[in-house]
Amino acid sequence: MLDGMFSFVLLDTRDKSFIAARDAIGVTPLYMGWGLDGSIWFASEMKALSDDCERFISFPPGHIYSSKQGGLRRWYNPPCYSEQIPSNPYDPLVLRKAFEKAVVKRLMTDVPFGVLLSGGLDSSLVAAVASRYLADSEAACQWGSQLHSFCIGLEGSPDLKAAREVADYLGTRHHEFHFTVQEGIDALEEVIYHIETYDVTTIRASTPMFLMSRKIKSLGVKMVISGEGSDEIFGGYLYFHKAPNKEEFHQETCRKIKALHLYDCLRANKSTSAWGVEARVPFLDKEFINTAMSIDPEWKMVRPDLGRIEKWILRNAFDDDKQPYLPKHILYRQKEQFSDGVGYSWIDGLRDHANKQVTDAMLANSSFVYPENTPTTKEAYYYRTIFEKFFPKNAARATVPGGPSVACSTAKAVEWDAAWSKNPDPSGRAALGVHAAAYEEAVDTKPANPVNGPPQ
């Protein structure tokens, strides 16, 4: 029955027994470690365990550890974890109400707050629902009924333009932040230290979010509501266009939800927490996930012949002509990954910088230097060197997942299109023939690594 986002350890002082648990999806971080003296350690950051523990792991979401019983056991067993294909019919009103309830639940707060607004579907829906119900919430009595929204990007980025339009439409108090590629590069070491990963996609997206969180905190805001989780639940990433059938589509969404604690949840929590800001994620509400994941996945499939783009069932649920939530073109805006939406030159700038830091000889010998999750691009190699400086133990390396990826896919989904093996980049623009600004061609040098982006 536990709900919400949490990581905790409860100690019984009478007999020194304890239990530790983590929330259903892993929105908040938790690590578990073992010392040479037999001690067991828990911390919300890996860096707190790296000096004292010989081995440590990312505590699995939806699990509990009891010192009396020993071992980890799952306390959260939703139907989607079994990956069985659901068959419930699609009811747009039920889906809409479930999401509205999830957003309203997160309006309970006694601190200054706002919403992260990129101008994409997910964050725009969060802002639309929050602004619609804010006036009736207790928070409005204390902080006013005008919602604050925040966006960051390079000058002229797609997100800044779309977010500004949504903010004007909803009437939010909008705060637009700008950063340069150099400012992002200068922050990389600090970002990797805080987010504790060398995953390319996560670092690309965490950096602007980290810079934005610093500015949000300077305004006195302590909590933000964000749109993470929607793409995993509804198959919103552009590679889902190539899903061969509803069975594989649904199983891929299940795999993505199970891995959220290693990617988007890790980014959203640690990028904001580094500055003392709390991020809340209504799409990952337990009740909403159960509602959305019980729908027959046939409704989630991308069907151009029926006019259905990615996340059509979510878009359609909020397509209300009488009381519109968003402008039509925003409601049906193509999926843009955060690291792309802040400005396409951001990723290009990161690659150029990495090319100057990593030589061809260094990359050629990467398998000897980093035999686990060997980086195969200069960008990935560069991030790995920074990570190793802060977290040199094997246990730390093992907390970062591997596997080939295209546009944030799992390794299994890469098999959906043979051409993807030549363009294994986590950017949404790697979805050749799908993204409106897709890369012009795949550049093939050698097989791509698991965790890391495109061959240079």
Side-chain angles (χ1 to χ4, degrees):
M1 297 302 292
L2 287 173
D3 199 3
M5 41 189 260
F6 58 82
S7 298
F8 66 76
V9 178
L10 293 180
L11 174 67
D12 188 333
T13 56
R14 294 169 299 180
D15 59 3
K16 302 298 182 183
S17 64
F18 64 87
I19 61 171
R22 190 176 182 186
D23 67 66
I25 304 299
V27 177
T28 62
L30 183 63
Y31 293 88
M32 180 179 186
W34 295 267
L36 290 174
D37 59 356
S39 57
I40 300 178
W41 297 61
F42 298 92
S44 59
E45 292 185 289
M46 184 167 62
K47 60 181 68 70
L49 305 180
S50 57
D51 291 338
D52 298 289
C53 297
E54 188 63 24
R55 181 171 176 265
F56 44 88
I57 62 170
S58 175
F59 195 97
H63 280 71
I64 186 169
Y65 177 88
S66 169
S67 62
K68 290 183 177 179
Q69 299 177 357
L72 290 158
R73 64 181 178 86
R74 176 173 290 282
W75 64 264
Y76 180 59
N77 289 285
C80 66
Y81 269 65
S82 67
E83 299 187 14
Q84 293 181 349
I85 312 302
S87 58
N88 285 1
Y90 166 52
D91 186 328
L93 190 58
V94 169
L95 187 63
R96 183 200 297 185
K97 289 186 177 297
F99 182 65
E100 288 178 328
K101 182 179 179 181
V103 173
V104 171
K105 182 191 298 185
R106 283 151 184 84
L107 291 177
M108 294 187 295
T109 180
D110 57 1
V111 299
F113 71 99
V115 296
L116 302 184
L117 179 59
S118 70
L121 172 69
D122 308 325
S123 64
S124 297
L125 282 179
V126 170
V129 174
S131 60
R132 183 168 293 198
Y133 287 91
L134 179 59
D136 297 325
S137 70
E138 293 183 9
C141 299
Q142 189 170 4
W143 307 110
S145 57
Q146 186 179 30
L147 186 67
H148 287 254
S149 57
F150 307 95
C151 184
I152 191 169
L154 304 175
E155 285 286 352
S157 78
D159 279 1
L160 289 179
K161 179 182 178 182
R164 195 179 308 121
E165 182 177 356
V166 174
D168 290 342
Y169 182 84
L170 298 176
T172 69
R173 175 70 184 276
H174 193 54
H175 306 266
E176 183 175 291
F177 305 124
H178 301 89
F179 77 105
T180 65
V181 172
Q182 188 58 52
E183 286 174 331
I185 290 172
D186 292 342
L188 282 174
E189 289 207 8
E190 196 174 1
V191 168
I192 292 173
Y193 174 78
H194 282 289
I195 65 174
E196 304 180 316
T197 184
Y198 51 85
D199 175 68
V200 169
T201 314
T202 305
I203 293 169
R204 288 175 175 179
S206 293
T207 305
M209 195 167 191
F210 177 83
L211 296 173
M212 177 170 57
S213 298
R214 178 174 62 188
K215 296 185 178 185
I216 289 174
K217 180 60 182 294
S218 71
L219 297 174
V221 173
K222 297 184 178 180
M223 185 274 282
V224 291
I225 307 177
S226 188
E228 275 75 21
S230 173
D231 292 311
E232 287 73 17
I233 295 170
F234 295 104
Y237 293 109
L238 297 184
Y239 73 89
F240 275 95
H241 281 240
K242 299 296 183 72
N245 52 59
K246 72 175 186 179
E247 289 79 15
E248 288 206 38
F249 189 107
H250 179 72
Q251 289 164 359
E252 175 71 1
T253 59
C254 293
R255 290 190 291 266
K256 293 292 290 182
I257 291 172
K258 292 176 186 178
L260 269 168
H261 68 291
L262 300 171
Y263 298 105
D264 288 44
C265 287
L266 179 149
R267 167 182 54 79
N269 181 277
K270 293 184 177 181
S271 297
T272 54
S273 294
W275 298 104
V277 177
E278 174 194 356
R280 297 182 180 179
V281 283
F283 278 108
L284 298 181
D285 178 82
K286 280 174 58 183
E287 186 176 340
F288 178 74
I289 289 178
N290 288 338
T291 298
M293 291 302 289
S294 67
I295 300 171
D296 188 329
E298 182 65 38
W299 288 97
K300 298 180 182 180
M301 294 280 287
V302 179
R303 293 287 303 275
D305 56 319
L306 299 177
R308 296 181 190 171
I309 62 173
E310 68 278 356
K311 292 186 287 193
W312 176 84
I313 66 170
L314 180 62
R315 302 174 194 270
N316 181 67
F318 285 89
D319 194 346
D320 189 334
D321 290 329
K322 293 182 179 179
Q323 292 183 306
Y325 286 78
L326 294 167
K328 287 275 189 181
H329 64 282
I330 295 291
L331 193 61
Y332 289 93
R333 183 189 175 198
Q334 185 180 57
K335 163 65 184 173
E336 193 77 87
Q337 288 172 208
F338 184 53
S339 54
D340 289 322
V342 295
Y344 295 149
S345 58
W346 167 233
I347 291 178
D348 298 335
L350 288 174
R351 289 175 175 163
D352 291 342
H353 178 70
N355 285 338
K356 297 175 184 176
Q357 307 301 314
V358 180
T359 66
D360 293 340
M362 292 165 67
L363 186 61
N365 292 308
S366 59
S367 61
F368 300 103
V369 181
Y370 303 120
E372 304 89 6
N373 276 345
T374 304
T376 61
T377 70
K378 291 184 178 181
E379 185 186 4
Y381 192 105
Y382 179 58
Y383 299 155
R384 185 66 172 271
T385 59
I386 298 174
F387 178 87
E388 295 281 341
K389 181 167 61 176
F390 297 125
F391 309 103
K393 286 190 175 181
N394 281 328
R397 300 181 194 108
T399 63
V400 182
S405 175
V406 168
C408 288
S409 73
T410 67
K412 178 66 177 175
V414 174
E415 301 172 5
W416 291 350
D417 191 323
W420 286 347
S421 62
K422 297 180 180 180
N423 199 52
D425 188 283
S427 164
R429 289 185 290 160
L432 302 180
V434 176
H435 194 289
Y439 295 133
E440 292 185 3
E441 60 181 20
V443 182
D444 188 16
T445 54
K446 62 177 182 176
N449 178 30
V451 285
N452 308 317
Q456 300 295 329

